[in-house]
Amino acid sequence: KNPTDIISCDLDGDGKAEVLTVNEVGDTLRIFTLRGGELNLTLSLETDGDPQAVCAADMDSDGLTDILVANRADRDHTIWVGGESRRYFFTVSLFRSTGEGYERVGDYSVGRGPTDMVTLDVDGDGDEDVVVATRAGRSISLLINDGGALREGLGGSIDALQYYSSDPAQLMRGDFNLDGMDDVATVNPSNSSLELFFGSPGGGLIPSGIYYIGNSPETLTVMDIDGDKDEDVVVGNHNEPHEGDGFATLSTLRNLYYGVFHPVSYYTVGASPRGIYAADADGDGALDLGTANYFGSSVSVLYGNGVGEFSSPYFVPIGLEPYSVLLEDLNGDGLKDIASADEARNVVIVVMNQGNRSFAGDRPAYYVRGYPIALRAADLDGDGDVDLISVNNAQNATCILNNSGEGTFESTMVISLGDAMPFDVAVGDLNGDGLKDIVTANFGSEVFHGDNVSLLFRSPDGTYPTQKRLKVGVAPSSVRLSDVDSDGDLDILVACMKSDEVYVFENDGSGEFTPREVIGTGALPQSLAVADINGDGREDLLVTCTSTNDLEVLLNTPEGFVSLYRTPAGSYPYMISPGDFNSDGRVDVAYTCVNVNSVGVLTSLYYPTDLKVDVGYDLKVDYRWDGTLDGYVEVDLTEAFKEYLKENGGREVPLAVTSSMEGLVRVTVEVITA
């Protein structure tokens, strides 16, 4: 009764797996074999009480598989040390295989409240040691295998060697830093983190990094997500966010190299989200996210807390099939309002922000004709308020909605694009005359693909009499403006969805453009964004590829764009919105995932230039009861870090600094004594 853990393994070497369970009621370990397509109970063994976890390994190197059970029973285990008695309550039981059955040969004390257990070779002697997550004791316990008998800790210590952790719920084994030694990953629900412990050549484990992820993580698994032959981590988060009923999410952490991870968190929004926009919607100083939910007939607003976490979605019913969304101050009251293009109804809908995370019930719709898809905001007429620009795919046109200054848009202008069927739009001064020009990416239709972008130059009277076209690849789906070559004018970047390319055009300053480069991408590049990812003052490139389900980051160099990395990005990643979501001064990325009704948030890593770490008072390391350092001294590691890079051929190796909880940095110091 009350099974608490289950595993399958081949205990007897016959090529068929047995099933093992441990059961709280009755304090039993039970072994089932498969016969005739059914499981049959073949053996039941008594444990030390309240068993919570089970694993199997050959602990004495006799070729037979032994069994270990972690117990949470409140029992007396008296062990004499130096004439004093100590009382232990929690154990790991070892059941050794005799070839005919199992005998319980020992109960070994560990920390309080064991919840999970793995075996791995910690000290490099070729046999399996035991690591136990002891959640109530806020620690990881290590039992060393000494020729088939476990001992609690290194060097013959009678105590289990324990490593401080918040409240480890589950463990997974892996070689994350590719050094050939076993490492351990655990999740801590109380502080929403993943924690890594690397194997040490001298035996034992080295705490090696904390990554703050989704809320209340309870489970994890290790797998190679991105096919780069190192081990990544996927974490199951019990509850997102902190208020309301919440919902479960997954966080993926991509192993960049040598055990430095890149965390991604996913947040559920409405059905089939397309557009996404980052802005401070509630005025608290933290960036929030808005998504246009195409099949959900709504806009979702996810409120950020400034440390990389977002609330459950606040749904605003809007139109029938909203394709894009903006969060902009439309009426000049300092609050970010909602504007969304509804493709099905051929309208742009505006919803005013009332403050206190609420939006007005009155939602005027402005008719713009012909399947509006993309929507941008800019002060086109220079009157100090934000106007709206849509592209209407079926009408072969772009539409300008002029703002009255109070958030109403009665005056509209429709600009024909001839035979072009636009899909995206960008706004900026292309020729240096101080007026806002328009660029459209002309996708065409699913049958007849376009191959060009239109340039519309604004005149002082507010019209767009001059149009030019630039030829690009097949089915341009996204366009962005950026000063790519740092010469002070805006260049053009275009994603071509059906030819898997990004075209880059350089501006000579007068609005004349020449091709700079064509960049190959993953399959079906859907959306572009530009942002300075590495802090060098040059805007880099972000691309979502819907067929290969990834996000690619390309660094802008004087020689052209160079791929930094490509990471899995959910299912059918669509639009992108960069921003500093965790208030660390670096660019993070949010993107919609159409097929799984979610938003992915990817936090960035960076290369620090000044690094100072507190390591203890006057270099004397005094520990508190909880394992933290007491005292204070400042040690400048900048030169040491530079020397490390020099010794490694100048390779830029990012430090394992937490990506979403700023100001919390764990430094591992290995102390070797004679």
Side-chain angles (χ1 to χ4, degrees), residues 271-579:
S272 190
R274 306 297 172 92
I276 186 170
Y277 203 82
D280 182 6
D282 55 0
D284 64 353
L287 285 179
D288 311 307
L289 293 172
T291 67
N293 308 315
Y294 188 70
F295 290 137
S297 302
S298 65
V299 164
S300 296
V301 180
L302 293 85
Y303 292 100
N305 63 3
V307 292
E309 298 174 343
F310 291 88
S311 71
S312 57
Y314 177 93
F315 289 104
V316 180
I318 193 165
L320 185 59
E321 292 179 349
Y323 210 100
S324 55
V325 63
L326 302 175
L327 297 174
E328 292 283 351
D329 182 8
L330 302 178
N331 58 359
D333 64 355
L335 301 174
K336 301 296 184 182
D337 309 304
I338 295 174
S340 180
D342 182 357
E343 182 190 21
R345 293 176 54 202
N346 302 325
V347 295
V348 170
I349 300 173
V350 173
V351 186
M352 292 301 163
N353 191 337
Q354 296 181 315
N356 297 318
R357 298 188 174 183
S358 65
F359 290 86
D362 183 25
R363 292 160 193 180
Y366 299 92
Y367 183 59
V368 292
R369 310 177 184 86
Y371 291 174
I373 294 176
L375 189 64
R376 295 289 178 265
D379 183 7
L380 294 178
D381 50 13
D383 62 356
D385 53 39
V386 175
D387 307 306
L388 299 176
I389 307 97
S390 72
V391 289
N392 309 327
N393 183 259
Q395 191 189 12
N396 301 2
T398 183
C399 185
I400 298 173
L401 291 85
N402 291 307
N403 194 339
S404 67
E406 298 178 354
T408 59
F409 301 83
E410 301 303 336
S411 173
T412 61
M413 176 191 299
V414 177
I415 306 170
S416 174
L417 299 175
D419 60 353
M421 300 179 69
F423 194 86
D424 196 17
V425 61
V427 180
D429 182 5
L430 300 178
N431 54 5
D433 63 357
L435 302 174
K436 295 292 196 311
D437 308 307
I438 297 173
V439 182
T440 64
N442 303 323
F443 180 90
S445 69
E446 290 296 338
V447 178
F448 301 104
H449 299 309
D451 62 355
N452 59 77
V453 295
S454 294
L455 282 58
L456 290 72
F457 293 90
R458 187 178 178 94
S459 67
D461 63 3
T463 62
Y464 292 82
T466 304
Q467 292 192 26
K468 297 179 182 179
R469 288 193 182 182
L470 298 175
K471 185 174 175 56
V472 294
V474 183
S477 57
S478 183
V479 60
R480 293 294 181 268
L481 303 180
S482 174
D483 186 5
V484 171
D485 51 8
S486 302
D487 64 353
D489 51 40
L490 291 176
D491 308 304
I492 299 176
L493 304 97
V494 186
C496 299
M497 191 172 184
K498 298 298 184 180
S499 55
D500 302 335
E501 298 166 319
V502 172
Y503 278 68
V504 183
F505 294 89
E506 287 186 344
N507 190 345
D508 69 356
S510 66
E512 295 293 332
F513 291 85
T514 56
R516 180 192 194 220
E517 61 182 309
V518 179
I519 307 163
T521 68
L524 302 184
Q526 174 65 52
S527 180
L528 300 180
V530 289
D532 184 5
I533 296 296
N534 59 351
D536 64 353
R538 304 171 69 94
E539 288 197 315
D540 307 303
L541 182 60
L542 303 158
V543 187
T544 51
C545 298
T546 58
S547 182
T548 47
N549 292 323
D550 56 36
L551 170 74
E552 186 168 8
V553 179
L554 299 103
L555 293 184
N556 185 357
T557 74
E559 293 74 32
F561 284 95
V562 177
S563 179
L564 177 63
Y565 62 81
R566 183 177 292 173
T567 183
S571 181
Y572 212 84
Y574 214 69
M575 302 297 186
I576 314 171
S577 188

Side-chain angles (χ1 to χ4, degrees), residues 63-405:
L64 302 174
T65 301
D66 308 307
I67 302 172
L68 298 122
V69 177
N71 306 288
R72 199 172 58 185
D74 185 4
R75 301 199 176 190
D76 284 332
H77 293 275
T78 303
I79 302 176
W80 290 89
V81 181
E84 298 180 357
S85 64
R86 292 187 179 182
R87 185 180 181 184
Y88 292 81
F89 301 103
F90 308 98
T91 63
V92 167
S93 298
L94 172 59
F95 295 84
R96 181 168 297 146
S97 173
T98 63
E100 301 295 329
Y102 287 87
E103 60 177 352
R104 183 170 146 196
V105 296
D107 299 316
Y108 302 90
S109 60
V110 293
R112 295 170 50 212
T115 54
D116 197 21
M117 176 172 50
V118 294
T119 62
L120 64 160
D121 184 7
V122 169
D123 50 5
D125 62 357
D127 53 29
E128 294 288 293
D129 309 303
V130 183
V131 177
V132 186
T134 48
R135 188 169 182 174
R138 303 171 68 85
S139 65
I140 302 290
S141 292
L142 172 62
L143 297 169
I144 300 298
N145 189 343
D146 190 6
L150 296 177
R151 54 183 170 84
E152 295 96 333
L154 298 170
S157 169
I158 200 166
D159 294 319
L161 186 61
Q162 297 187 34
Y163 301 88
Y164 175 76
S165 185
S166 294
D167 59 331
Q170 185 181 354
L171 302 172
M172 286 297 292
R173 163 184 178 171
D175 181 10
F176 302 113
N177 57 355
L178 302 177
D179 64 352
M181 302 192 66
D182 291 328
D183 309 316
V184 175
T186 186
V187 286
N188 300 301
S190 67
N191 67 355
S192 299
S193 70
L194 169 83
E195 192 166 10
L196 299 179
F197 295 83
F198 289 170
S200 169
L205 297 169
I206 299 175
S208 302
I210 297 179
Y211 297 87
Y212 293 89
I213 46 179
N215 192 44
S216 299
E218 293 280 354
T219 59
L220 76 159
T221 191
V222 173
M223 60 193 298
D224 184 5
I225 297 171
D226 47 11
D228 61 354
K229 302 188 185 309
D230 57 22
E231 292 175 310
D232 310 305
V233 179
V234 180
V235 178
N237 305 305
H238 177 69
N239 187 35
E240 290 280 6
H242 300 289
E243 72 261 7
D245 294 333
F247 46 89
T249 63
L250 292 178
S251 294
T252 61
L253 292 96
R254 191 175 68 92
N255 193 342
L256 297 180
Y257 41 80
Y258 305 125
V260 177
F261 284 84
H262 213 167
V264 182
S265 297
Y266 288 94
Y267 298 87
T268 299
V269 291
S272 190
R274 306 297 172 92
I276 186 170
Y277 203 82
D280 182 6
D282 55 0
D284 64 353
L287 285 179
D288 311 307
L289 293 172
T291 67
N293 308 315
Y294 188 70
F295 290 137
S297 302
S298 65
V299 164
S300 296
V301 180
L302 293 85
Y303 292 100
N305 63 3
V307 292
E309 298 174 343
F310 291 88
S311 71
S312 57
Y314 177 93
F315 289 104
V316 180
I318 193 165
L320 185 59
E321 292 179 349
Y323 210 100
S324 55
V325 63
L326 302 175
L327 297 174
E328 292 283 351
D329 182 8
L330 302 178
N331 58 359
D333 64 355
L335 301 174
K336 301 296 184 182
D337 309 304
I338 295 174
S340 180
D342 182 357
E343 182 190 21
R345 293 176 54 202
N346 302 325
V347 295
V348 170
I349 300 173
V350 173
V351 186
M352 292 301 163
N353 191 337
Q354 296 181 315
N356 297 318
R357 298 188 174 183
S358 65
F359 290 86
D362 183 25
R363 292 160 193 180
Y366 299 92
Y367 183 59
V368 292
R369 310 177 184 86
Y371 291 174
I373 294 176
L375 189 64
R376 295 289 178 265
D379 183 7
L380 294 178
D381 50 13
D383 62 356
D385 53 39
V386 175
D387 307 306
L388 299 176
I389 307 97
S390 72
V391 289
N392 309 327
N393 183 259
Q395 191 189 12
N396 301 2
T398 183
C399 185
I400 298 173
L401 291 85
N402 291 307
N403 194 339
S404 67

